[in-house]
Amino acid sequence: MAQFWYYVFTLVFFLFDYFILAMGLNIQYGETGVMNFAYIGFVAIGSYVTGAVSLPNSVGTGQQYIFGWNIPFPFNLIMGGIAAMLLAVVVAFIALRRLRTDYLAMVLFALSFVLYDIINNYPRLFNGADGLYNVAEPMTGVFHMSTNSFVIFFSLVTAAISLILWAVMSRITRSPLGRTFRAIRDDADVASALGKGVFRYQLTSMLIGSFFAGIGGGLIIQFGGSFNPSAWLPGETFVVFAVIIVGGVGNNVGLLVGALLVETLLIHLPAFLPDIPGRPGLIEYFSAMVIGIVLMAMLWFRPQGMLPERVRKFPAPAGELLNRDGHSVVAPTPVEAVATTNSAAQVADAHEGNDA
Amino acid sequence: MMTYKDLSTTPAGSEGPILRCEGLTKAFGGVNAVNGATFDVPRNKITALIGPNGAGKTTVVNILSGAMKSDSGTVHLGSTDVTNMDRAKIARLGLMRTFQLSRELGGLSVLENLLVAPKVQAGESIFNIFFRPRLVKREERQNIERATEILRTYGLYDLRDNWARELSGGQKKLLEISRGVMASPSVFLLDEPMAGVNPALIERIGGYILDMKAQGVTVLMIEHNLNVVERICDNVIVLAEGKTLATGKLSELRQNKEVVTAYLGEVINASTGH
Ligand SMILES: Nc1ncnc2c1ncn2[C@@H]1O[C@H](COP(=O)(O)OP(=O)(O)OP(=O)(O)O)[C@@H](O)[C@H]1O
Ligand SMILES: [Mg+2]
């Protein structure tokens, strides 16, 4: 029975963790149009740094890593988020400044391999191919929890954090800043013709999204106690893309639905199924295939996602008279109608003026 | 009648031509799209930029608005040298432009297309969003009020909550012009604002452009319809093969042999059937 709840709350954890990751990628890609194909690299940096700053000094631990500052939760988590933002600054100045969407996507994808190789091959950073382990479960000391109750506790902590971040993100996407992001996504030339410094806003969006990536990554190492290169193969980026494409690009609630469908039901649930006798790993391969098929089906039949982006409506200014359909009572005739007499008269006036 | 606020924020001083370009050139591979164009755009007037297809009109607008770098030559906005300046900066100095093929922000609503236009908004800063929400809200309310007013004038009000990508061609033209107006430009460059719209709408757009002038905006418009040019434009600049062929009133230009051969000839012949 305890085992069952352990599984359930592990699923709950990954649901909300991927909700956070999806929000971070969504502000970059869904709102601002930056195809961050290196996204999983930001998650990894967040995870490693969260772990490495919370571990004790590495001497005598049998691991090699930088930091080792004994920083407690949640401050280590915040440092993980900030580390991912620093990576975003570097990436933005290398790639974002000069490259347009498709090239940018390729360069970022290449960058995630570079990052992967560096971390994998320089053990002095984050213990190389072995990755970090023995990262203490936060707050177990305070509450004297068993592993099972920790899983329940921490998945609920993660859910709470994701809801706070969701509130923060909604506030951003509903603001004029979010609108400017979407203007850049739709047509960066038009946005800059309207005076928007495109790079500045793309950088802002990268920073926000990277912070979310870092937090999401940090929660993973706090939940499981370890993190190593097998957890962030460059292709993992596309799982997060799948979450936001299935859920609905540009819709924060849709992202939770996407996380439920892709991450929880297609990836983690099958991982708990017992192996088919004689065919170890078959279920895992199968679930990867199903994700691919689901993604293609979504793009084919419902490219806007389960919960599409919704048009943002604004309350009419005070004093407005609306009829039952929400149309203004005093609104002039629609576009293709006859010329307003006023303007037509002015054109005629000007005509005479020119003749004179 | 709508009001245009903030029009006095011109960086351009108040004397002399508001826009001056000299010796602009731009080549694409072997094509000299712009080849020494030199002209002034007089303040608070409506000026037409005419010329045959491929004369380099759009390229000139691209250079003036900073969307393209010129190979040589200078552009001044008032007393400010804006040659090859970053285009967002030029826009913030008060120069707006529309595109020959209208470019709406399709994933925004019609109203949002206008709301995005004001050049500097408090709500575009993270700090303000979280720590000065009242300021953001107040500014947003003012912008909504003004956008609503403009949409009403442009007959787009009932479409305010529609996706901009769902508008018709003519409606997109109107949206693009009204979006520029929302940005309170001191100079507004219009690339064929009347192309592909029905005669009634041509009348209306003509009216809007005259309204802009009445509110102190300087307009430079590319236009092939000489009837429209004759009726609303104060001055005409003729561009041919990337050079300024002539400038003046249309009636004067009709007497200019060179102009008639290069451009007007075709039009006159076409319209009289010879
Ligand atoms: N981005 C570009 N790349 C290559 N050539 C270009 C580009 N833009 C314009 N040209 C060329 O430059 C010349 C001038 O083009 P431009 O669009 O400025 O003409 P225009 O006067 O606006 O014509 P139209 O009245 O047909 O709109 C044309 O020969 C065109 O083919
Ligand atoms: Mg053109």
Side-chain angles (χ1 to χ4, degrees):
Chain A
M1 202 54 211
Q3 195 74 337
F4 174 77
W5 290 113
Y6 175 86
Y7 287 148
V8 168
F9 279 94
T10 302
L11 292 181
V12 169
F13 168 78
F14 280 106
L15 169 65
F16 286 103
D17 192 60
Y18 267 71
F19 180 38
I20 296 171
L21 296 185
M23 284 191 286
L25 183 59
N26 182 62
I27 186 121
Q28 298 177 347
Y29 169 67
E31 302 278 334
T32 320
V34 178
M35 282 238 217
N36 188 355
F37 277 9
Y39 191 69
I40 199 69
F42 296 85
V43 178
I45 289 296
S47 194
Y48 281 128
V49 171
T50 300
V53 297
S54 71
L55 282 166
N57 190 304
S58 64
V59 176
T61 58
Q63 304 186 54
Q64 299 181 57
Y65 47 81
I66 48 176
F67 310 127
W69 294 338
N70 278 317
I71 292 185
F73 187 84
F75 303 104
N76 59 342
L77 191 65
I78 291 168
M79 291 175 81
I82 291 171
M85 289 169 88
L86 292 177
L87 178 64
V89 173
V90 175
V91 167
F93 279 93
I94 295 174
L96 193 57
R97 210 181 171 83
R98 8 188 86 241
L99 298 168
R100 281 294 168 93
T101 37
D102 36 4
Y103 294 107
L104 179 65
M106 283 191 282
V107 167
L108 287 174
F109 196 42
L111 262 171
S112 77
F113 279 94
V114 172
L115 193 66
Y116 190 78
D117 281 340
I118 290 177
I119 290 179
N120 221 346
N121 291 312
Y122 289 88
R124 253 177 277 170
L125 287 173
F126 304 114
N127 211 28
D130 291 336
L132 300 178
Y133 47 88
N134 286 340
V135 177
E137 294 172 342
M139 296 185 269
T140 36
V142 185
F143 297 114
H144 303 288
M145 278 180 282
S146 68
T147 301
N148 260 342
S149 40
F150 171 75
V151 166
I152 296 173
F153 166 74
F154 200 71
S155 61
L156 297 179
V157 168
T158 301
I161 292 175
S162 80
L163 293 181
I164 293 168
L165 289 177
W166 177 51
V168 168
M169 188 58 96
S170 301
R171 185 137 185 187
I172 294 172
T173 53
R174 274 190 277 113
S175 73
L177 180 65
R179 183 166 63 219
T180 300
F181 285 161
R182 290 192 297 282
I184 289 168
R185 168 196 70 186
D186 285 353
D187 193 330
D189 287 339
V190 169
S192 61
L194 291 171
K196 312 298 173 190
V198 171
F199 175 70
R200 200 189 114 199
Y201 288 109
Q202 285 180 331
L203 176 61
T204 307
S205 164
M206 280 289 280
L207 289 174
I208 299 167
S210 302
F211 183 74
F212 278 58
I215 296 291
L219 288 167
I220 291 175
I221 199 168
Q222 289 285 257
F223 181 75
S226 65
F227 193 82
N228 61 54
S230 71
W232 62 288
L233 294 164
E236 288 290 319
T237 294
F238 299 105
V239 174
V240 191
F241 267 98
V243 168
I244 70 176
I245 287 168
V246 168
V249 169
N251 183 324
N252 286 330
V253 181
L255 301 178
L256 186 58
V257 174
L260 180 69
L261 293 177
V262 175
E263 179 57 26
T264 310
L265 297 184
L266 291 177
I267 297 186
H268 273 94
L269 191 59
F272 288 143
L273 297 178
D275 264 334
I276 297 170
R279 301 239 184 268
L282 184 65
I283 290 183
E284 205 173 301
Y285 289 123
F286 200 69
S287 90
M289 258 168 59
V290 172
I291 291 171
I293 292 168
V294 165
L295 200 54
M296 280 192 283
M298 284 303 295
L299 290 171
W300 193 267
F301 295 110
R302 206 176 157 81
Q304 68 276 39
M306 302 301 293
L307 297 185
E309 186 173 2
R310 282 190 319 211
V311 87
R312 286 162 177 82
K313 296 187 179 174
F314 296 82
E320 186 84 4
L321 285 174
L322 299 178
N323 67 18
R324 258 180 304 156
D325 303 330
H327 295 307
S328 171
V329 177
V330 292
T333 40
V335 176
E336 305 295 345
V338 193
T340 58
T341 42
N342 187 11
S343 303
Q346 278 176 310
V347 175
D349 283 347
H351 190 183
E352 282 164 18
N354 271 2
D355 276 357
Chain B
M1 166 82 59
M2 82 181 90
T3 51
Y4 297 80
K5 290 170 196 156
D6 309 328
L7 288 181
S8 52
T9 60
T10 162
S14 52
E15 296 289 301
I18 197 159
L19 196 59
R20 284 179 297 136
C21 57
E22 237 183 284
L24 290 183
T25 65
K26 176 80 187 175
F28 298 106
V31 182
N32 293 315
V34 182
N35 198 1
T38 300
F39 57 83
D40 291 350
V41 178
R43 196 175 291 272
N44 198 11
K45 293 271 182 334
I46 301 172
T47 304
L49 183 59
I50 67 172
N53 291 115
K57 304 180 295 294
T58 297
T59 309
V60 165
V61 164
N62 283 337
I63 292 170
L64 297 180
S65 62
M68 273 179 189
K69 308 256 173 270
S70 63
D71 297 337
S72 63
T74 59
V75 182
H76 283 82
L77 183 61
S79 50
T80 317
D81 186 347
V82 297
T83 315
N84 296 341
M85 191 187 264
D86 176 68
R87 57 178 149 175
K89 229 177 256 166
I90 297 179
R92 289 199 293 271
L93 288 174
L95 185 142
M96 280 292 132
R97 56 98 41 108
T98 65
F99 294 87
Q100 183 161 1
L101 301 172
S102 30
R103 289 166 82 164
E104 78 288 0
L105 298 165
L108 267 57
S109 74
V110 167
L111 178 60
E112 282 183 305
N113 261 266
L114 267 69
L115 292 179
V116 86
K119 281 160 282 197
V120 185
Q121 300 183 32
E124 287 176 320
S125 128
I126 287 273
F127 180 84
N128 290 341
I129 293 170
F130 290 100
F131 300 105
R132 300 168 78 184
R134 299 243 306 274
L135 170 70
V136 172
K137 209 166 213 169
R138 177 152 32 92
E139 193 190 65
E140 186 78 344
R141 201 173 325 115
Q142 286 167 355
N143 282 338
I144 291 174
E145 228 160 80
R146 181 145 177 277
T148 307
E149 213 172 299
I150 294 175
L151 286 179
R152 268 227 190 83
T153 309
Y154 279 76
L156 293 171
Y157 182 76
D158 281 352
L159 298 164
R160 66 192 179 281
D161 289 334
N162 288 40
W163 293 113
R165 59 173 174 258
E166 290 169 353
L167 298 185
S168 77
Q171 291 165 341
K172 284 179 183 173
K173 277 243 129 97
L174 286 175
L175 178 63
E176 196 171 20
I177 297 171
S178 55
R179 188 176 61 202
V181 166
M182 180 77 190
S184 310
S186 44
V187 183
F188 201 176
L189 312 180
L190 301 164
D191 196 345
E192 305 198 20
M194 321 249 186
V197 300
N198 74 40
L201 190 48
I202 288 184
E203 292 296 310
R204 275 177 56 194
I205 294 177
Y208 298 140
I209 294 172
L210 289 169
D211 280 355
M212 292 176 205
K213 177 182 158 185
Q215 302 289 337
V217 183
T218 302
V219 176
L220 176 68
M221 58 189 279
I222 300 178
E223 187 50 64
H224 285 295
N225 184 338
L226 292 184
N227 194 15
V228 170
V229 172
E230 175 142 49
R231 289 162 65 187
I232 71 172
C233 296
D234 303 301
N235 298 291
V236 178
I237 298 164
V238 187
L239 207 66
E241 293 173 1
K243 292 187 186 62
T244 321
L245 197 60
T247 59
K249 301 231 179 298
L250 188 63
S251 48
E252 298 160 17
L253 296 175
R254 286 199 199 279
Q255 319 299 320
N256 182 326
K257 238 192 175 138
E258 249 185 320
V259 174
V260 172
T261 347
Y263 182 59
L264 297 178
E266 311 168 24
V267 181
I268 290 167
N269 286 343
S271 60
T272 55
H274 294 310

